[in-house]
Amino acid sequence: MQKILVTLLLLVGFGLSTKAQEIAILKYQGGGDWYANPSALPNLIAFCNSTIGTRLNAKPETVEVGSNSIFQYPFLHMTGHGNVVFSLEEKENLRDYLLSGGFLHIDDNYGMREYIIGQIEELFPNSDLEEIGLDHPIFSQEFKFPQGLPKIHEHDGKRPQALGIFENKRLVLLLTLESDLGDGWEDPAVHNDPEEIRKKALQMGANIVSYVFKN
């Protein structure tokens, strides 16, 4: 019954919630460091609040995959370097959340890809994880990225990719690979990235945030 009630809340709109414009960090099992890049999301939130008019809570909450708390947040962010495991109950909970209007951004911090793709395939067995076209509004929402996802950090010499799951033409899950957006959101002293690189990462992040809250 509780699951039905929180799902109905999503269906009638996050606008009825005091957390209508909030982002939460997704905590998962499996051994991967879900807590990686601790300054990343707060910095992105500050950038969005100052540049695109959002009013996000400066300190993001942390929610577990299997908790009904995820239904309070229209935007979940997930990152890490290692293994990811969703139980059957967690998959059901996360799938209900996404199909009811929620959104999940998974940013591979290098080392997550081989684990998370299998979990996504189990989460949506009847949907393909497809590359997002350059004409998608996520690349031009607030800032223009005509070549798609920016390259923030180099690892294996591969091009950055933005992959997504679409349900009824709505992007419900975004997986960013070979980009390391989260590293670019971190405090400048963490990676000593050039300011122009950090700016690209933050602008792309703002595009994602803007897209979610406008769609």
Side-chain angles (χ1 to χ4, degrees):
M1 179 60 71
Q2 187 176 10
K3 178 70 68 62
I4 293 174
L5 290 175
V6 290
T7 302
L8 285 174
L9 175 61
L10 280 173
L11 288 172
V12 299
F14 280 108
L16 298 180
S17 171
T18 59
K19 296 183 174 64
Q21 274 198 342
E22 295 297 338
I23 302 175
I25 298 168
L26 193 64
K27 179 181 179 180
Y28 53 88
Q29 303 299 316
D33 52 342
W34 59 267
Y35 44 83
N37 294 355
S39 65
L41 204 52
N43 284 343
L44 175 63
I45 287 170
F47 180 82
C48 289
N49 287 348
S50 65
T51 60
I52 65 170
T54 54
R55 297 182 178 180
L56 300 165
N57 191 321
K59 184 179 179 180
E61 299 293 333
T62 297
V63 293
E64 297 188 4
V65 184
S67 170
N68 282 333
S69 297
I70 66 173
F71 289 86
Q72 300 179 45
Y73 301 91
F75 189 134
L76 299 178
H77 175 75
M78 177 179 172
T79 191
H81 298 83
N83 194 21
V84 178
V85 174
F86 296 151
S87 69
L88 290 177
E89 293 78 11
E90 288 173 334
K91 289 189 187 81
E92 179 183 355
N93 195 55
L94 186 56
R95 187 185 302 113
D96 286 346
Y97 162 82
L98 295 171
L99 294 180
S100 300
F103 178 87
L104 173 62
H105 173 217
I106 306 170
D107 186 46
D108 180 9
N109 205 5
Y110 191 61
M112 178 190 278
R113 177 177 187 151
E114 62 181 296
Y115 304 106
I116 192 59
I117 288 183
Q119 295 296 313
I120 294 172
E121 290 174 346
E122 293 179 7
L123 192 63
F124 289 99
N126 299 316
S127 300
D128 294 326
L129 186 62
E130 58 184 275
E131 186 155 12
I132 298 173
L134 297 180
D135 59 344
H136 192 277
I138 207 165
F139 296 121
S140 59
Q141 193 71 36
E142 303 286 342
F143 304 96
K144 306 301 181 184
F145 287 89
Q147 302 304 314
L149 200 65
K151 187 78 166 179
I152 307 305
H153 280 178
E154 185 63 71
H155 292 297
D156 295 327
K158 298 178 181 178
R159 66 182 179 87
Q161 285 186 290
L163 307 179
I165 293 288
F166 291 84
E167 290 292 329
N168 296 320
K169 299 183 179 180
R170 183 178 73 89
L171 180 64
V172 302
L173 183 151
L174 170 66
L175 172 63
T176 47
L177 301 171
E178 295 294 331
S179 173
D180 261 358
L181 287 176
D183 277 2
W185 302 341
E186 283 258 72
D187 289 343
V190 177
H191 300 289
N192 295 312
D193 290 325
E195 184 56 32
E196 184 60 29
I197 294 296
R198 290 193 71 247
K199 182 178 179 181
K200 287 182 179 179
L202 289 165
Q203 288 179 338
M204 186 65 227
N207 273 8
I208 297 169
V209 171
S210 176
Y211 175 78
V212 171
F213 290 133
K214 290 181 179 179
N215 292 276

